[in-house]
Amino acid sequence: MDNSRANLLEEAVGINKGGRVVAVEDCVETSGAFVLYHFLKRSLHPDSSDVVIFIAFSHPFSHYERILRKMGCNLTVHRKNHRFVFLDMLTLECPDRNGKERRQDGLLALYGEIEKAVEIYSSLEGSRTITIMIDDVSLIEVAANGSSNHVLDFLHYCYTLKAKYGCSFVTLNHEDIYSSANMLPLILQPEYFADVIIKAEPLATGLASDVHGQLTVLNKGSVCDLGGSSSKVRNFHFRVKENIVDYFYPGTQT
Amino acid sequence: MASSRPRGGSFSRNISSAATAQIPGVKLGPNGTSFLSSGIPDLDQILGGGFTLGSLVMVMEDPEAPHHMLLLRNFMSQGLIHKQPLLYASPERDPRGFLGTLPSPMASKEEKSNERPSEQDANLRIAWQYKKYFGEQTEVQRGGKAEYCNDFDLRKPLERHFYSGQRVDCISLRDSPNLVPLLERCSTFSAQISKSDGNITCAGRIAIQSLCSPQCDFSDKDWEMLSFIRSLKGMVRSSGAVAVISFPPSLVSPAFLKRWQHLADTLISVKAIPDEDKELAKLLTGYQDMLGLLSVHKVARINTQVPAILEATTFSMKLRKRRALVLECLNQAPVDGSSGSSYGTSGACSGSSKTGNLDF
């Protein structure tokens, strides 16, 4: 019973294979960060040899380490075993207020770092998927001092890694920021590239202690699927605990 | 007392945590976090212990009433009493004037003189006979009694000796065309209180009042302010400090307001209540004594993924004995004013519609 519940998100997202782009979107009232942690834990599963490159703009390493440790995944050990690459971008300042060229430099350097890491890990033998995670996209924009074009360029560069090395992507973004019309590209373009879009929202009736919000998962399906109706939308509630997240359909929670 | 007992490996953690508890005014919380008191006992309780050390607290001001100043004053006053280094920035010409408005802790004559001896007696009695059994517990209680959070008398200014000998930096936001000097001050401030080995030796408090007020030259540079907040957040996180920023949300454009809210670890809004709002008066008991409403929109979640779900998000601010600030749950939630999202608009609507009616 419990097992099937925990897999509701897995079910909706589908089987784990390389070259997938997952876009997680949340809002002020409900944080969607736990979905990111879920994917992080899944990628670092002891049975696989997948590698995660984590680009953190919002929290220091200790934050993720503590959360994942409670979920039974030791990031420090994975880091030592070269399965987890943590890029701390908490203090990345691209603009430097001197000129426009510097602004792009910061992101370019970051992309260079990512590409280098991807190259190193994909050249190693064995089949492994490299997952690139970004927490979160809106803060890249802040670091780039509002030049959303540079951020979009950066994301496009990253997406090219998918074609070249078969990398997967998981990005977190805040949907409610982009409610006004002129800010749209930064949410629409990643959504266009994404195979799976996961939205975390509060319940219309507000939050409760046993239902922390709802997830809407839009699975666009992959190209290799033959059927036309491959796109699926699922909606379910969730409750976040320290070590596990409960997913359940509305009203089915005991 | 308890040291005679042999301590195993599992106890080593207790010892280290006891060491951090020695820092005045810092309380240990769950998930390896520590709390700093907000200076309002009720708010501490609502937030589960206080402001998390290393978090960024944002207070959304009410454009009509200076209720956010109550929060800032109590926050800073509590810091002075704990002898913590402070940094205060405001758009005023003379930010040091803020120190003169800080409230003084509740006089110990009335309540405490009544409580103290009995408690001390209890301690003494325990110390005399049962110490070997209760040694550790009483220790903890005494640590809590060293006034983690004071009650403040809003009518009495803080005595001068509290802030004369201490490091209190005051900065006016008006002096500079951009936020670079303020950021530098903040970074030197947080560098001073954070140790290189990661252990925190003392906690600091940063308060920035009305960050985007129009008196500042940078108030139209949305991205610069945003990146300042982000940098400040990064700085505070790596040091033992809490930063409180208050800002008027009506002056920030809606798209940026959401970004500000996302950047905040803890998000609080204060709201004045109109004097003669008959509908609201009917809905709420004790409406006459209310100073305003305080809503908690977001609680800092550091080192954990579990969201904090509060039993109530809107509280009434009242003055007990016209002195101490207390927060109370609304006895009967207003139909339209209780949810966070509709909060600003509905309050304003009902307020403006009622201004013509005077009812005595």
Side-chain angles (χ1 to χ4, degrees):
Chain A
M1 186 68 187
D2 265 340
N3 263 345
S4 65
R5 271 189 193 175
N7 287 336
L8 217 52
L9 176 65
E10 298 264 316
E11 232 175 74
V13 172
I15 40 162
N16 188 18
K17 51 188 170 188
R20 285 201 129 195
V21 181
V22 179
V24 184
E25 293 167 11
D26 66 357
C27 49
V28 175
E29 291 80 20
T30 313
S31 166
F34 70 93
V35 184
L36 211 65
Y37 307 140
H38 170 85
F39 283 109
L40 184 55
K41 193 198 168 191
R42 194 172 76 161
S43 302
L44 293 174
H45 198 270
D47 292 345
S48 70
S49 60
D50 293 354
V51 178
V52 176
I53 299 172
F54 200 99
I55 304 144
F57 280 87
S58 52
H59 295 288
F61 179 71
S62 60
H63 176 83
Y64 302 105
E65 210 247 336
R66 239 174 210 283
I67 290 173
L68 266 292
R69 207 193 320 163
K70 274 178 270 192
M71 296 166 74
C73 174
N74 193 330
L75 289 186
T76 317
V77 169
H78 284 304
R79 214 177 179 183
K80 269 187 204 142
N81 295 341
H82 305 289
R83 287 193 58 196
F84 181 69
V85 181
F86 188 82
L87 301 177
D88 189 345
M89 294 292 130
L90 221 55
T91 50
L92 176 81
E93 281 287 350
C94 311
D96 251 337
R97 293 163 187 107
N98 292 332
K100 282 187 176 169
E101 291 82 39
R102 300 280 311 261
R103 182 172 301 177
Q104 210 175 1
D105 276 1
L107 287 181
L108 263 180
L110 174 60
Y111 173 71
E113 231 172 301
I114 296 169
E115 195 188 20
K116 206 175 74 193
V118 170
E119 258 171 22
I120 291 170
Y121 287 111
S122 61
S123 64
L124 298 175
E125 60 198 57
S127 69
R128 63 188 77 210
T129 311
I130 300 168
T131 308
I132 299 172
M133 293 191 172
I134 303 178
D135 181 18
D136 60 66
V137 176
S138 74
L139 286 178
I140 308 182
E141 211 184 349
V142 178
N145 215 6
S147 55
S148 56
N149 283 340
H150 290 317
V151 181
L152 282 174
D153 285 351
F154 169 75
L155 289 177
H156 284 213
Y157 276 126
C158 288
Y159 289 139
T160 57
L161 293 174
K162 174 187 166 185
K164 209 169 168 190
Y165 301 100
C167 296
S168 293
F169 285 92
V170 182
T171 57
L172 177 67
N173 208 345
H174 306 304
E175 195 189 9
D176 47 358
I177 290 176
Y178 305 98
S179 48
S180 68
N182 54 347
M183 311 293 270
L184 277 174
L186 248 179
I187 194 88
L188 287 183
Q189 293 203 17
E191 272 186 14
Y192 172 76
F193 282 111
D195 300 307
V196 181
I197 301 168
I198 303 173
K199 289 185 188 185
E201 294 155 316
L203 298 182
T205 48
L207 298 182
S209 53
D210 50 353
V211 183
H212 289 167
Q214 59 179 337
L215 281 185
T216 310
V217 182
L218 170 68
N219 194 339
K220 291 183 186 169
S222 54
V223 194
C224 38
D225 284 346
L226 287 172
S229 62
S230 57
S231 181
K232 279 179 229 149
V233 183
R234 291 203 197 201
N235 185 296
F236 45 84
H237 292 176
F238 62 86
R239 181 186 183 186
V240 184
K241 295 177 188 167
E242 288 287 1
N243 55 352
I244 200 165
V245 184
D246 284 341
Y247 303 101
F248 47 90
Y249 288 116
T252 59
Q253 201 203 22
T254 45
Chain B
M1 24 176 137
S3 57
S4 58
R5 223 191 296 157
R7 285 188 182 262
S10 57
F11 281 92
S12 59
R13 202 196 217 170
N14 255 348
I15 294 168
S16 72
S17 68
T20 42
Q22 306 279 304
I23 309 170
V26 174
K27 194 163 84 175
L28 286 171
N31 304 313
T33 56
S34 327
F35 288 122
L36 206 60
S37 171
S38 65
I40 304 169
D42 291 331
L43 186 60
D44 283 353
Q45 210 182 355
I46 291 164
L47 295 175
F51 294 149
T52 310
L53 216 58
S55 72
L56 174 70
V57 182
M58 303 256 256
V59 180
M60 299 202 274
E61 301 172 3
D62 183 286
E64 286 161 18
H67 288 335
H68 59 276
M69 292 307 288
L70 292 176
L71 296 183
L72 290 183
R73 282 188 194 126
N74 278 28
F75 175 68
M76 292 306 247
S77 221
Q78 186 70 66
L80 282 176
I81 284 160
H82 289 315
K83 302 209 174 354
Q84 290 158 344
L86 308 180
L87 181 94
Y88 176 75
S90 96
E92 304 293 322
R93 280 249 177 270
D94 176 29
R96 269 202 106 75
F98 172 76
L99 295 178
T101 66
L102 292 179
S104 162
M106 208 65 122
S108 51
K109 299 160 210 157
E110 306 150 17
E111 292 162 86
K112 272 158 205 166
S113 58
N114 294 338
E115 285 170 17
R116 273 274 168 74
S118 63
E119 266 177 10
Q120 269 174 353
D121 272 355
N123 273 343
L124 277 179
R125 215 171 298 139
I126 286 164
W128 179 65
Q129 209 169 8
Y130 300 109
K131 201 174 177 180
K132 51 187 172 186
Y133 304 116
F134 295 115
E136 279 183 324
Q137 282 177 17
T138 47
E139 199 70 33
V140 171
Q141 276 166 9
R142 220 182 305 161
K145 215 180 70 184
E147 300 302 338
Y148 166 71
C149 182
N150 291 79
D151 266 320
F152 286 96
D153 186 344
L154 296 182
R155 293 197 300 182
K156 209 168 122 201
L158 194 65
E159 282 159 46
R160 220 181 164 72
H161 69 87
F162 274 113
Y163 52 88
S164 54
Q166 273 190 70
R167 233 190 59 220
V168 185
D169 289 354
C170 290
I171 310 162
S172 174
L173 295 176
R174 274 201 216 186
D175 296 342
S176 73
N178 55 36
L179 281 158
V180 179
L182 179 60
L183 194 62
E184 275 165 8
R185 291 285 282 274
C186 289
S187 77
T188 48
F189 178 83
S190 54
Q192 276 163 347
I193 55 172
S194 64
K195 276 274 191 175
S196 53
D197 56 350
N199 281 331
I200 301 153
T201 48
C202 73
R205 292 168 187 243
I206 299 174
I208 300 172
Q209 183 218 329
S210 305
L211 181 61
C212 65
S213 77
Q215 290 121 305
C216 319
D217 291 338
F218 47 78
S219 61
D220 55 339
K221 295 173 185 156
D222 284 324
W223 286 106
E224 198 179 313
M225 285 193 288
L226 211 53
S227 93
F228 165 76
I229 297 172
R230 177 176 163 262
S231 310
L232 181 67
K233 188 182 176 185
M235 256 175 229
V236 164
R237 185 56 97 80
S238 55
S239 70
V242 172
V244 179
I245 299 179
S246 78
F247 67 99
S250 47
L251 294 181
V252 186
S253 64
F256 281 92
L257 183 61
K258 282 290 176 201
R259 285 177 192 269
W260 287 49
Q261 294 178 348
H262 272 292
L263 274 171
D265 287 310
T266 301
L267 186 64
I268 295 170
S269 71
V270 285
K271 179 96 186 151
I273 43 179
D275 270 342
E276 57 286 316
D277 190 335
K278 269 202 296 188
E279 278 178 32
L280 210 57
K282 252 184 257 165
L283 280 167
L284 298 171
T285 53
Y287 176 80
Q288 305 304 326
D289 318 324
M290 277 185 204
L291 215 61
L293 298 171
L294 179 141
S295 306
V296 180
H297 302 277
K298 214 168 144 185
V299 181
R301 299 279 75 192
I302 293 178
N303 294 346
T304 179
Q305 63 170 350
V306 181
I309 308 288
L310 304 175
E311 280 185 16
T313 54
T314 308
F315 301 87
S316 62
M317 300 163 85
K318 288 181 184 170
L319 287 181
R320 196 201 309 133
K321 295 181 192 159
R322 295 204 220 145
R323 284 155 180 252
L325 190 65
V326 290
L327 302 175
E328 283 174 7
C329 270
L330 294 181
N331 282 335
Q332 198 172 1
V335 177
D336 51 353
S338 61
S339 76
S341 52
S342 65
Y343 169 70
T345 49
S346 66
C349 286
S350 61
S352 59
S353 64
K354 285 286 165 249
T355 43
N357 286 347
L358 283 172
D359 184 47
F360 289 107

